[in-house]
Amino acid sequence: MTKQLVVAIVGATGAVGSQMKEQLIKREFPIKHIKFLASARSAGKEIEFNGKTYIIEEATPEAFEGVDVAFFSAGGSVSAKLAPEAAKRGAVVIDNTSHFRMHPEVPLVVPEVNRGDLAKHNGIIANPNCSTIQMVVALQPIREKFGLSKVVVSTYQAVSGSGISAIQELRAQSAEWEKGKNVEANILPAKSDKKHYPIARNVIPQIDVFTENGYTYEEMKMINETKKIMHLPELHVAATCVRVPVVSGHSESVYIEVEQETNVQEIFDVLRNAPGVVLQDDITQQEYPMPIFVEGEDPVYVGRIRQDLDNKKGFHLWVVSDNLLKGAALNSIQIAETMLEDNLL
């Protein structure tokens, strides 16, 4: 009989938290009891889950007493304050924010890539950045077979990566354009930054704020997280992250250099058998991944695989995935499922 767990979700009403609820139901996660935790202003409100109504409780340290696994998706400041308290009370925290990702004692895990790191946790496990997750799922099987020395990625990221409010703003701006009205922008490229630009009919080459080296925090997340997850500190990684007017589904143009000479057919063969990957690459039929068809789907889709014309060890790939699923909620649930399989919960 599968072990039944007491589960908590912190931030269940957000874009990722809502998907977490759906994934727990869809995947029949073994739940003995579930509690929904939020700020004091949301405490007392009702929330639906699997045909039942639950009362949201205030997220306090004491609320985690008796919890086996806690999924956090309520912002880095909440995780910083409460994740250690939850872990102190015996819960395994799976944190979907960026707060703990680069902490040396916190595993940063994509189960298809580095499930062995789960055994090294001290109560907190970090869920990587959405764009990082889909890229490393696609690259790991190639790396295992042919080695990997360089990655250059340009992303085309959906607005859902900035939350429900960004989705609403895209829709409002699109409607305003059609009516010929002035378009207001209050969220993108980064809510905390000085200027905001419309995303409707636009492409914004900035996600998050800039760091001192000229890269954005989103780009640095991809660079540093890729190295940590793949245990390749010397891997050459560069990233340019761009927001596009798509609701859900991140796309990535990825250039890689492998260590062992190979060809497109051999990479096809590797990806066909890779866990969590769907190879969609038939240019004779114009078949390749697109976010409009990937939304709501679990796997990472890969296509447009080409050998570089000037470097025999260079290859180009097009990688697309639902950023709210494999890029966030689904990967979090899969971490917990993997821990159950490995007797870590």
Side-chain angles (χ1 to χ4, degrees):
M1 181 179 176
T2 304
K3 183 180 180 182
Q4 301 289 300
L5 302 177
V6 178
V7 174
I9 299 181
V10 184
T13 58
V16 174
S18 298
Q19 285 288 354
M20 284 179 175
K21 290 195 305 172
E22 292 184 19
Q23 288 299 308
L24 288 169
I25 297 168
K26 177 183 175 181
R27 300 176 72 86
E28 298 181 345
F29 191 80
I31 297 173
K32 180 181 180 181
H33 175 66
I34 189 166
K35 48 200 318 190
F36 299 97
L37 307 176
S39 64
R41 70 176 181 272
S42 295
K45 295 180 180 178
E46 294 183 346
I47 190 168
E48 299 295 321
F49 178 77
N50 206 15
K52 296 182 180 179
T53 301
Y54 293 79
I55 303 298
I56 297 175
E57 302 174 41
E58 183 178 355
T60 64
E62 295 72 27
F64 295 97
E65 295 286 353
V67 171
D68 296 307
V69 58
F71 298 99
F72 274 68
S73 185
S77 61
V78 174
S79 294
K81 179 182 177 181
L82 289 177
E85 295 292 338
K88 192 186 300 182
R89 287 161 174 79
V92 172
V93 173
I94 300 174
D95 182 38
N96 201 65
T97 76
S98 62
H99 185 78
F100 293 101
R101 287 177 186 161
M102 296 311 298
H103 192 290
E105 295 181 6
V106 175
L108 182 66
V109 177
V110 179
E112 295 92 337
V113 180
N114 63 328
R115 71 185 290 164
D117 289 351
L118 291 170
K120 305 169 188 173
H121 79 86
N122 292 307
I124 300 174
I125 297 161
N127 196 57
N129 176 271
C130 47
S131 298
T132 306
I133 291 174
Q134 68 185 66
M135 184 174 75
V136 297
V137 167
L139 296 189
Q140 178 65 10
I142 298 171
R143 175 264 182 109
E144 288 178 347
K145 183 79 173 178
F146 308 110
L148 188 64
S149 60
K150 186 174 186 177
V151 178
V152 180
V153 56
S154 296
T155 71
Y156 305 73
Q157 294 180 224
V159 296
S160 56
S162 282
I164 292 173
S165 59
I167 298 174
Q168 293 169 341
E169 185 162 277
L170 168 61
R171 289 173 173 158
Q173 289 172 356
S174 298
E176 288 168 2
W177 273 114
E178 294 302 320
K179 296 174 183 176
K181 295 182 179 180
N182 292 329
V183 175
E184 291 187 14
N186 301 299
I187 297 171
L188 299 174
K191 194 167 187 179
S192 62
D193 217 341
K194 299 178 289 295
K195 291 182 180 179
H196 300 100
Y197 298 110
I199 186 60
R201 302 193 185 187
N202 197 19
V203 169
I204 304 174
Q206 177 191 349
I207 298 178
D208 210 329
V209 297
F210 288 98
T211 69
E212 290 182 358
N213 66 8
Y215 289 78
T216 64
Y217 277 100
E218 182 81 359
E219 290 159 354
M220 292 309 301
K221 288 174 191 175
M222 291 198 74
I223 291 166
N224 293 327
E225 291 177 21
T226 299
K227 295 178 181 185
K228 180 175 179 178
I229 294 165
M230 302 185 93
H231 297 285
L232 292 173
E234 304 304 317
L235 181 66
H236 293 182
V237 186
T240 301
C241 294
V242 180
R243 190 73 73 188
V244 296
V246 170
V247 173
S248 284
H250 289 352
S251 304
E252 298 172 347
S253 173
V254 187
Y255 169 75
I256 62 171
E257 291 180 4
V258 295
E259 295 173 338
Q260 175 186 327
E261 283 194 17
T262 182
N263 56 52
V264 169
Q265 188 57 53
E266 288 184 330
I267 291 179
F268 276 7
D269 294 341
V270 166
L271 291 176
R272 280 196 187 97
N273 299 306
V277 173
V278 171
L279 178 66
Q280 189 176 41
D281 194 324
D282 184 352
I283 58 173
T284 66
Q285 299 299 317
Q286 292 178 259
E287 291 184 2
Y288 35 73
M290 290 179 279
I292 195 171
F293 301 116
V294 164
E295 185 175 355
E297 300 294 325
D298 291 349
V300 172
Y301 290 75
V302 185
R304 292 299 319 278
I305 301 171
R306 292 148 285 151
Q307 191 164 29
D308 191 77
L309 297 178
D310 298 308
N311 185 346
K312 288 185 177 180
K313 293 184 178 180
F315 292 86
H316 301 266
L317 302 87
W318 178 248
V319 182
V320 183
S321 187
D322 188 319
N323 54 293
L324 297 181
L325 289 179
K326 185 55 183 171
L330 174 60
N331 197 72
S332 296
I333 306 303
Q334 287 176 318
I335 287 172
E337 291 172 341
T338 304
M339 294 185 76
L340 278 171
E341 292 172 9
D342 295 347
N343 296 313
L344 298 172
L345 268 179

